[in-house]
Amino acid sequence: MAYDKFNVLKSSAVPLPIENVDTDQIIPARFLKATERKGFGDNLFRDWRYNSDNTPKEQFVLNNPIYSGKILVGGKNFGSGSSREHAAWAVYDYGFRCVVSSFFADIFRGNCLNIGVLPVQVSPELLDEIFKAIEADPNTQLEVNLPKQTITILASGKFETFGINDYKKDNLLNGFDDIDYLLNLEDQIKTFAANTPL
Amino acid sequence: MGNTLFDKVWDAHVVKKIKNGPDVFFIDRHLVHEVTSPVAFLGLKNRNIPVLYPERTFATADHNTPTINQHLPVKDVLSANQLKALEKNAAEHGIPYWGLGHEKNGIVHVIGPENGITLPGATIVCGDSHTSTHGAFGAIAFGIGTSEVEMVLATQCIMQPKPKSMRININGSLSFGVTPKDVALYIISKLTTSGATGYFVEYAGEVFRNMSMEGRMTVCNLSIEMGARGGMIAPDEKTFEYVKGREFAPKGAAWDKAMDYWKTLYSEENATFDKELHFDASDIEPMITYGTNPGMGTGISNGIPKAESLEGGVATYKKSLAYMDFNEGEEMQGKPIDFVFLGSCTNGRIEDFRAFASIVKGRKKAANVTAWLVPGSHRVEDAIKAEGILDILHEAGFELREPGCSACLAMNDDKIPAGKYAVSTSNRNFEGRQGPGARTLLASPLVAAAAAVTGKVTDPRTLLQETVNA
């Protein structure tokens, strides 16, 4: 599925300083029953965000109007657990285009990259600084520059570079997806398949 | 430097290497279920392209399915709709579909091995993180997202960077009452829930060599719970014996050819790993989790560790205990429980039911416990009946449900109510995993059985010993 190109993103950020945020928290399994990819943002962090009677939990960050932006900043080991791409869809559909953490679970990171959400892994020190900066000023602006592979706290100028492989970077910059690439290799794949032992 | 088992299987499946990018990685067998596939099929429709190799693709219904009255229409409208979508998509693309009521229906990771879909040296994916289960056969098997499901349907390939390698060695013999589930929970408690992220694990040593195929499946199943994409065990005579004669396994000359390949599947003696760990089998006792991730496990006689004994993550630890309504340092044994769940792709096979029955035989279900015993497939259900296990269960006051993922993930009707404690043989104890507000204690089928008959967390070794002495 095509997605928006990603280049330079300047935005305030929503802080979620919790470790091991698993995909069952990002979107509980009972909300995975759709047969189309829409509406998942409504149930992002459902059980942290709403009481059982569907009233908002006021203390949860997504219900606090002073925090907003296209960047979600999470604690270490973000996205562990299930392979459900719905978790990445929920993040995207809610309006985030970038998730920052000091460590990501593998499948979640891959899922994000496949749908146009940029996972940015920073050092624990910078993560801590970002949380502190947002705590001091909820409107703290971050700049995520994909061509340069940098993330900067604009007020202090503090920045780090982040890793991403050239192939995925190119895809995100251009809004390409993997299927177009793979479909172009079809003949090569068929030859390969004919010679596999199983 | 010699190749690892993982290198051998990986390298044999690389169609193309991309510089500073992922490998174009060929998938031998693709398992499909109702939850993570509909959007992928929709993608094919929008592009107007077919499934490239329907004969390498197998579909079943498991996550959404009720585990009672499966002969009746599915009541939940959204679930019914998702099941219908898979049936329709499978028919449209010529994919075998084993839906509700089909004799081969069951949990995707149970029916793969049962039907010989799972093979040594194969690459196997599914839109489900517990696809790592199939690594028990020396396959490279891992979970993928829906975009990748679409890639595999369309091209039988995904774009995947090669993970780093880790070998976990456990030598010695397991003590009385210690099961494969305990081995896995022990490893995860040592590595934490993210300790193997970025790695693909090989399990080696006497403990795994001596383990049954079903035990190996339980261990590999839980690889993802320490962050590893997958785990694998070198195939041996036990593996070949298990696979031989199963419906989708090679036959005749194809079998001989496959065996020639399979016998090369081991890590060379001089192979090196990016990380190598050693544990001693005698240090492992029956395990139980006390927190809200699978790394928060402890030996059943040890109790809940104190915050200062853990490395970092004190805030997470305190949040977890608050959710569980436990206190640091408390004993786990004796804690009252409300539910017992035996089943899932982790522990829903016949050996798990045999283990459960070995404890409940001659005893009675505790009055305060609701027990859900859910076979992983119809084949498992048939074996439970054929071996007389069903009679033992009935005599002890238990009922057997119909196959499915059931209470593992709170997606179907089997949900643990808020605030209740469940001893579960499944794979995740995340907040709300088994139902909003539910509290999960992960454990082996033996620990689950001991809880089911005593109504509290109980060391199964005590009960096993009583049975032996009786």
Side-chain angles (χ1 to χ4, degrees):
Chain A
M1 182 164 160
Y3 48 78
D4 302 339
K5 296 176 188 179
F6 195 110
N7 200 289
V8 178
L9 176 65
K10 266 186 221 174
S11 173
S12 54
V14 176
L16 193 64
I18 298 172
E19 291 181 8
N20 303 321
V21 173
D22 59 72
T23 49
D24 277 87
Q25 306 319 313
I26 299 173
I27 188 154
R30 62 187 190 280
F31 300 110
L32 309 185
K33 297 188 185 193
T35 51
E36 288 177 274
R37 192 188 138 180
K38 53 184 177 196
F40 288 101
D42 294 345
N43 295 313
L44 176 68
F45 295 115
R46 180 75 200 194
D47 292 338
W48 284 351
R49 195 168 147 199
Y50 296 102
N51 294 303
S52 52
D53 62 1
N54 295 330
T55 54
K57 292 183 177 177
E58 278 173 23
Q59 74 279 19
F60 187 63
V61 68
L62 293 191
N63 295 324
N64 187 339
I66 68 167
Y67 298 108
S68 65
K70 293 186 169 185
I71 302 172
L72 176 65
V73 188
K76 184 184 143 192
N77 193 29
F78 194 90
S80 61
S82 156
S83 63
R84 60 188 71 161
E85 195 168 293
H86 313 65
W89 296 342
V91 166
Y92 185 97
D93 190 50
Y94 184 86
F96 294 115
R97 290 294 172 272
C98 173
V99 184
V100 179
S101 176
S102 58
F103 197 83
F104 288 95
D106 259 355
I107 305 181
F108 179 78
R109 179 207 296 265
N111 285 343
C112 282
L113 287 167
N114 282 341
I115 66 153
V117 172
L118 178 63
V120 172
Q121 185 162 323
V122 297
S123 68
E125 294 74 30
L126 187 69
L127 186 70
D128 201 43
E129 287 210 28
I130 293 172
F131 281 135
K132 282 185 180 145
I134 299 172
E135 197 181 342
D137 174 11
N139 194 35
T140 292
Q141 297 290 305
L142 302 179
E143 182 189 277
V144 178
N145 185 317
L146 180 59
K148 290 185 181 161
Q149 294 179 224
T150 56
I151 175 166
T152 310
I153 305 172
L154 287 175
S156 64
K158 220 161 228 144
F159 78 99
E160 263 183 21
T161 56
F162 61 85
I164 180 170
N165 73 53
D166 293 350
Y167 169 84
K168 273 293 170 198
K169 179 175 172 177
D170 194 50
N171 271 7
L172 282 172
L173 287 171
N174 294 295
F176 293 159
D177 75 13
D178 289 336
I179 294 195
D180 294 327
Y181 183 92
L182 288 170
L183 286 171
N184 280 323
L185 293 180
E186 194 170 317
D187 290 343
Q188 199 177 338
I189 292 169
K190 282 182 170 165
T191 309
F192 187 93
N195 292 302
T196 51
L198 300 171
Chain B
M1 195 181 73
N3 278 334
T4 64
L5 164 64
F6 175 70
D7 290 331
K8 288 177 182 177
V9 181
W10 184 278
D11 296 347
H13 289 85
V14 175
V15 177
K16 182 183 174 179
K17 281 190 171 300
I18 299 173
K19 204 179 164 215
N20 298 323
D23 290 343
V24 177
F25 191 66
F26 187 80
I27 302 304
D28 290 311
R29 305 220 160 164
H30 184 196
L31 302 166
V32 172
H33 66 81
E34 76 276 19
V35 180
T36 53
S37 64
V39 172
F41 281 110
L42 203 58
L44 296 188
K45 193 174 172 189
N46 292 340
R47 290 170 201 265
N48 196 24
I49 49 175
V51 173
L52 185 60
Y53 293 116
E55 68 276 20
R56 291 178 179 274
T57 314
F58 303 84
T60 189
D62 54 6
H63 284 61
N64 264 304
T65 53
T67 58
I68 49 168
N69 294 325
Q70 288 186 349
H71 61 288
L72 299 177
V74 175
K75 275 192 222 151
D76 182 307
V77 177
L78 292 174
S79 293
N81 192 32
Q82 214 169 41
L83 294 166
K84 191 109 200 112
L86 180 55
E87 188 175 359
K88 185 176 148 283
N89 286 327
E92 214 166 277
H93 292 280
I95 297 167
Y97 172 63
W98 305 333
L100 266 187
H102 193 286
E103 59 173 9
K104 289 184 192 142
N105 177 256
I107 304 174
V108 64
H109 309 308
V110 175
I111 63 169
E114 272 178 357
N115 291 288
I117 296 165
T118 306
L119 298 174
T123 50
I124 302 168
V125 294
C126 173
D128 188 286
S129 60
H130 294 107
T131 307
S132 57
T133 311
H134 309 269
F137 293 77
I140 289 182
F142 54 87
I144 57 176
T146 297
S147 295
E148 292 167 311
V149 172
E150 187 181 340
M151 289 175 216
V152 181
L153 291 172
T155 70
Q156 207 60 34
C157 287
I158 57 170
M159 313 287 286
Q160 187 68 39
K162 188 176 179 180
K164 291 181 282 186
S165 64
M166 179 190 290
R167 181 160 63 184
I168 296 176
N169 304 277
I170 309 186
N171 284 304
S173 318
L174 293 176
S175 311
F176 178 66
V178 176
T179 70
K181 180 64 164 288
D182 302 305
V183 174
L185 288 177
Y186 176 83
I187 298 170
I188 303 164
S189 76
K190 292 293 174 192
L191 268 79
T192 78
T193 189
S194 59
T197 301
Y199 292 90
F200 214 95
V201 174
E202 179 180 344
Y203 299 97
E206 289 161 2
V207 163
F208 305 108
R209 288 269 73 83
N210 293 333
M211 211 174 256
S212 69
M213 287 311 296
E214 294 197 0
R216 292 177 189 180
M217 288 185 228
T218 299
V219 169
C220 289
N221 172 279
L222 290 163
S223 302
I224 182 72
E225 305 312 333
M226 52 188 175
R229 200 66 187 269
M232 64 200 302
I233 295 174
D236 57 12
E237 285 306 320
K238 241 182 248 182
T239 318
F240 307 140
E241 185 60 31
Y242 182 101
V243 171
K244 197 166 190 176
R246 291 186 188 259
E247 186 174 345
F248 292 90
K251 309 257 171 5
W255 172 266
D256 296 336
K257 193 177 157 214
M259 278 294 283
D260 289 342
Y261 169 48
W262 294 345
K263 288 194 167 162
T264 67
L265 298 178
Y266 54 86
S267 290
E268 302 291 337
E269 258 180 51
N270 59 351
T272 55
F273 293 80
D274 295 306
K275 195 168 188 177
E276 185 138 20
L277 299 170
H278 297 267
F279 298 107
D280 189 335
S282 61
D283 290 339
I284 309 175
E285 67 163 336
M287 298 285 295
I288 192 158
T289 64
Y290 57 87
T292 55
N293 72 57
M296 301 178 82
T298 181
I300 197 160
S301 63
N302 289 339
I304 300 173
K306 296 230 163 124
E308 70 256 22
S309 70
L310 301 171
E311 283 175 42
V314 174
T316 306
Y317 171 85
K318 293 209 159 139
K319 184 174 182 291
S320 276
L321 287 197
Y323 181 85
M324 296 299 289
D325 198 18
F326 288 162
N327 297 301
E328 53 179 301
E330 276 178 355
E331 284 293 315
M332 286 304 291
Q333 286 189 77
K335 282 192 179 298
I337 60 112
D338 309 292
F339 282 76
V340 165
F341 170 49
L342 172 68
S344 85
C345 59
T346 311
N347 281 124
R349 300 181 182 81
I350 188 62
E351 288 178 11
D352 302 312
F353 281 82
R354 287 182 197 142
F356 190 91
S358 74
I359 285 197
V360 306
K361 187 176 184 180
R363 296 191 169 91
K364 291 283 178 203
K365 183 182 80 65
N368 62 313
V369 170
T370 303
W372 290 335
L373 315 185
V374 188
S377 70
H378 281 303
R379 293 271 162 80
V380 174
E381 184 184 15
D382 293 346
I384 289 168
K385 290 174 182 165
E387 293 184 18
I389 292 172
L390 186 60
D391 299 330
I392 297 172
L393 296 175
H394 281 164
E395 230 162 82
F398 295 94
E399 297 292 329
L400 189 67
R401 298 173 80 90
E402 293 171 283
C405 295
S406 184
C408 178
L409 85 167
M411 185 156 190
N412 47 67
D413 300 334
D414 304 347
K415 295 185 181 73
I416 309 293
K420 298 293 183 190
Y421 291 96
V423 175
S424 296
T425 65
S426 49
N427 41 57
R428 290 191 175 129
N429 51 351
F430 297 151
E431 285 183 33
R433 170 76 179 184
Q434 293 194 281
R439 294 164 171 154
T440 303
L441 311 173
L442 297 177
S444 74
L446 289 179
V447 173
V453 294
T454 61
K456 57 193 179 186
V457 176
T458 300
D459 191 332
R461 291 171 295 191
T462 327
L463 302 185
L464 285 170
Q465 202 58 53
E466 283 172 17
T467 307
V468 172
N469 293 342

